[in-house]
Amino acid sequence: MERSSQKRATPEPDSEPQPSGVSMRSDRSKKDIIDFKRQELSAVKKDDVSSSQSGLNHQPELDSIFKRLEDNIVTFVKNELKKAQNELNPDYAEESESHCEDEEVLDDEDEEQRRSSREAFRKIIVNFLWKMKQEKLAALLLSKHPGSDCGYKLKSNLKKKFQCVFEGIAKPGNPTILNQIYTELYITEGETGEVNDEHEVRQIEEISRKSGSTETSIRCEDIFKSTVGRDKPIRTVLTKGVAGIGKTFLTQKFTLDWAEDKTNQDIQFMFPFTFRELNLLKDKKFSLVGLVHHFFIETKEAGICSFEKFKVVFIFDGLDECRLPLDFHNTEILTDVTESTSVDVLLINLIRGNLLPSAHLWITTRPAAANQIPAECVDMVTEVRGFNNPKKEEYFRKKFKDEGQANKIISQIRSSRSLHIMCHIPVFCWCNELPQEIHQLHEK
């Protein structure tokens, strides 16, 4: 059946309604049914569409619209290309200030649209620079925008990943907000250098006793900052700690604070890995860039194929769980971040500084596995000592909002020397039935 190209005639007031002649299976009949359900809204839209279509039927007017559109796009492209060129100019700081004076003041919505358009076009520029084999210029341009769309997405996804944690034995649907319960851990620079063969409780007691000594303590957010008397920049930090002492929570808090724009905003990208995840890739091959793309898809979507110009932090949590053959003495040297090889070769060359020597690395481990990393590859060794006595009480007051309940728990912990020592390890503070357990231990 042929469709009529003319508009449906409106019946005269006195005339009988006539059949439409349109099949109920036709597209027009479907549209009529939808319009019938949304009479008022569709009437407005119909008028708008009809008026738009009638306007677009005039080719000269359509040509005029697209000529103005072309002029606007060309002007936008020229301006953004000029800005990109200026940003790659060593004197960009001075020139950018003069450009800022000419910027028009926009409301929030228009400003967001302009930012979005600029970021989209910047991706196009970067992609074309890559195709033109101008990798250095592409990386430099990206480094000028640490708060780009890629950075926003990465931080947003890391916040979602680390804002909730499971304490002790994970129970579905029962996560804990990290910032609500996180209590500062005691971290020291250096290590004891002693081999302790005593019973684990005595080891914990020894750690607890040393936490009040005159050792240099370090705050989590300052892990890569040089301390007094240290001239060499810190690239690689190895953090030791017994099981359950809080090493993983420490790295999660470090990452979350960065993602929430609270600390270390000079860092442009932060990539947290666990050795459990890396173990699953034992038989696969990646380049370093490919490995980052595999775990952090935002960087791939942004077209970032080099990280030399960025300030980057790699976090590798749980070296003691590593099942990769980390042979630092018989592994080929690799310097190309785009060359594919096994994951263990990537890690060895990254740790040695052959790959991305400008990057910062943070590796956590139990003491027994720490010797897998050669001493010459580590700039600073730190040790997590858990909660000191004041922090034990602070944790329980955060965990149990009822002040009376928190006071009772703290009082019972103080009354048991063994329990008080054990609570130095955060994992012993995570039992959901802690009040009952404490009461039973106290009775014994």
Side-chain angles (χ1 to χ4, degrees), residues 351-398:
I351 293 171
R352 280 201 176 279
N354 298 327
L355 288 172
L356 281 185
S358 61
H360 292 282
L361 277 66
W362 188 9
I363 305 168
T364 71
T365 182
R366 294 184 188 180
N371 59 5
Q372 292 188 65
I373 308 296
E376 65 269 20
C377 296
V378 178
D379 297 306
M380 184 171 71
V381 176
T382 63
E383 187 173 357
V384 184
R385 302 288 182 82
F387 295 146
N388 58 23
N389 289 339
K391 294 300 179 182
K392 295 175 190 178
E393 297 187 10
E394 180 182 325
Y395 172 81
F396 286 114
R397 295 193 187 282
K398 287 182 176 180

Side-chain angles (χ1 to χ4, degrees), residues 111-149:
E111 179 59 36
E112 178 63 22
Q113 289 178 352
R114 172 158 49 180
R115 186 187 67 82
S116 178
S117 298
R118 285 178 172 174
E119 287 181 354
F121 186 68
R122 195 180 303 119
K123 290 180 184 179
I124 294 175
I125 297 175
V126 169
N127 286 336
F128 271 94
L129 286 173
W130 283 114
K131 290 179 181 179
M132 293 165 63
K133 306 298 182 184
Q134 297 294 330
E135 294 90 351
K136 290 185 178 180
L137 286 179
L140 181 58
L141 185 59
L142 281 170
S143 70
K144 298 289 185 179
H145 299 274
S148 64
D149 188 49

Side-chain angles (χ1 to χ4, degrees), residues 16 20 31 76 79 107 112 135 160 174 181 211 215 222 224 226 251 257 263 308 313 336 383 402 419:
E16 293 291 333
S20 67
K31 186 179 291 185
F76 171 79
N79 288 340
D107 59 33
E112 178 63 22
E135 294 90 351
K160 292 176 183 177
N174 188 32
I181 56 94
S211 295
E215 294 169 307
D222 298 332
F224 290 107
S226 296
T251 60
D257 282 350
T263 58
E308 280 85 354
V313 170
D336 186 354
E383 187 173 357
D402 183 274
L419 192 59

Side-chain angles (χ1 to χ4, degrees), residues 6 12 20 41 48 54 86 102 119 125 131 164 172 180 198 222 234 264 288 306 327 347 398 412 426 440:
Q6 298 178 354
E12 295 295 329
S20 67
L41 181 61
D48 292 342
S54 63
N86 287 337
D102 300 329
E119 287 181 354
I125 297 175
K131 290 179 181 179
C164 291
Q180 290 181 1
E198 293 180 313
D222 298 332
I234 297 173
N264 292 302
L288 182 59
S306 177
D327 186 354
L347 291 178
K398 287 182 176 180
Q412 290 179 326
Q440 292 171 7

Side-chain angles (χ1 to χ4, degrees), residues 189-202:
E189 181 181 353
E191 54 185 328
T192 60
E194 304 169 358
V195 178
N196 195 333
D197 296 324
E198 293 180 313
H199 188 275
E200 189 173 20
V201 174
R202 290 191 177 275

Side-chain angles (χ1 to χ4, degrees), residues 25 41 49 72 106 110 127 176 181 195 247 286 308 389:
R25 295 181 181 273
L41 181 61
V49 172
N72 288 339
L106 303 176
D110 288 341
N127 286 336
T176 302
I181 56 94
V195 178
K247 301 182 296 295
F286 292 91
E308 280 85 354
N389 289 339

Side-chain angles (χ1 to χ4, degrees), residues 54-106:
S54 63
L56 294 178
N57 285 334
H58 301 288
Q59 189 63 38
E61 185 175 351
L62 188 61
D63 291 342
S64 175
I65 291 173
F66 271 78
K67 181 62 174 68
R68 281 185 287 136
L69 177 62
E70 178 185 347
D71 291 341
N72 288 339
I73 291 176
V74 169
T75 300
F76 171 79
V77 169
K78 286 183 176 180
N79 288 340
E80 293 305 311
L81 284 174
K82 184 62 179 177
K83 289 175 184 176
Q85 183 179 355
N86 287 337
E87 290 177 12
L88 296 174
N89 189 314
D91 300 325
Y92 166 63
E94 296 178 4
E95 294 184 19
S96 63
E97 290 179 3
S98 61
H99 276 83
C100 289
E101 294 176 359
D102 300 329
E103 292 281 358
E104 58 180 314
V105 179
L106 303 176

Side-chain angles (χ1 to χ4, degrees), residues 213-267:
S213 65
T214 57
E215 294 169 307
T216 303
S217 63
I218 300 174
R219 294 177 62 86
C220 172
E221 61 267 26
D222 298 332
I223 200 75
F224 290 107
K225 295 179 181 178
S226 296
T227 54
V228 178
R230 182 187 292 272
D231 298 326
K232 183 181 177 183
I234 297 173
R235 179 181 186 267
T236 303
V237 176
L238 180 65
T239 296
K240 301 180 181 182
V242 299
I245 200 72
K247 301 182 296 295
T248 296
F249 270 28
L250 195 66
T251 60
Q252 291 176 343
K253 177 62 174 173
F254 181 81
T255 305
L256 183 62
D257 282 350
W258 174 78
E260 293 181 338
D261 297 328
K262 293 179 180 178
T263 58
N264 292 302
Q265 291 309 290
D266 57 323
I267 296 171

